[in-house]
Amino acid sequence: MPGAYWYHAYVIAISHASGNRERAEKEAAKMRKRFPNFMTDRLAMNKTLCVSHEVDAKFATIWEKYLS
């Protein structure tokens, strides 16, 4: 399950960064449906997957925009 979380989350971030907002919105819709608690669950997942605070902070603002 963590792999699916992060795959979709990073597709959102990469699509947003490259200006492909339509793709980011599509991925966000999938994420909201499949993983409705991603924004809170990711904090626990970060510890399990050793995701640094810097990396999380970099992407969290983008994820909040699409997943909140």
Side-chain angles (χ1 to χ4, degrees), residues 16 21 25 32 39 60-68:
H16 173 83
R21 304 297 193 265
E25 288 292 344
R32 285 189 298 270
M39 291 306 290
T61 55
I62 295 169
W63 295 331
E64 286 175 2
K65 176 180 178 175
Y66 289 97
L67 298 173
S68 295

Side-chain angles (χ1 to χ4, degrees), residues 34-60:
R34 290 183 66 194
F35 311 111
N37 299 320
F38 174 77
M39 291 306 290
T40 52
D41 292 349
R42 82 177 206 286
L43 300 174
M45 299 298 278
N46 287 349
K47 289 182 181 180
T48 303
L49 299 173
C50 299
V51 175
S52 72
H53 295 291
E54 294 82 11
V55 170
D56 183 67
K58 181 177 182 177
F59 293 104

